Amino acid sequence: MLYWALVFLVIALIAGLFGFGGIASASAGIAQILFFIFLVLLVVSLIMYFVRGRGTRV
């Protein structure tokens, strides 16, 4: 998901460079949403990791 956020960020930067304001703002918005979803999933994964006790112990 972080990969797609970076892809949309690059698209936004290139579109902004060439003067396509609408496409640039839409791509930047999508990149921002995907980045925040990635952060939420990362935090949830870390919480679940620490709640479970850092894996199984043999």
Side-chain angles (χ1 to χ4, degrees), residues 27-45:
S27 295
I30 293 171
Q32 186 177 13
I33 290 169
L34 288 176
F35 181 72
F36 284 123
I37 291 172
F38 167 77
L39 285 180
V40 168
L41 291 176
L42 175 69
V43 169
V44 169
S45 296

Side-chain angles (χ1 to χ4, degrees), residues 10-27:
V10 169
I11 291 171
L13 291 173
I14 292 172
L17 181 68
F18 290 120
F20 298 110
I23 296 172
S25 64
S27 295

Side-chain angles (χ1 to χ4, degrees), residues 1-11 31 34-35 38:
M1 188 168 304
L2 186 58
Y3 170 77
W4 286 109
L6 292 174
V7 167
F8 279 106
L9 179 64
V10 169
I11 291 171
L34 288 176
F35 181 72
F38 167 77

Side-chain angles (χ1 to χ4, degrees), residues 48-50 52-57:
M48 292 303 294
Y49 174 75
F50 286 116
R52 288 186 177 183
R54 299 183 186 185
T56 59
R57 296 181 184 172

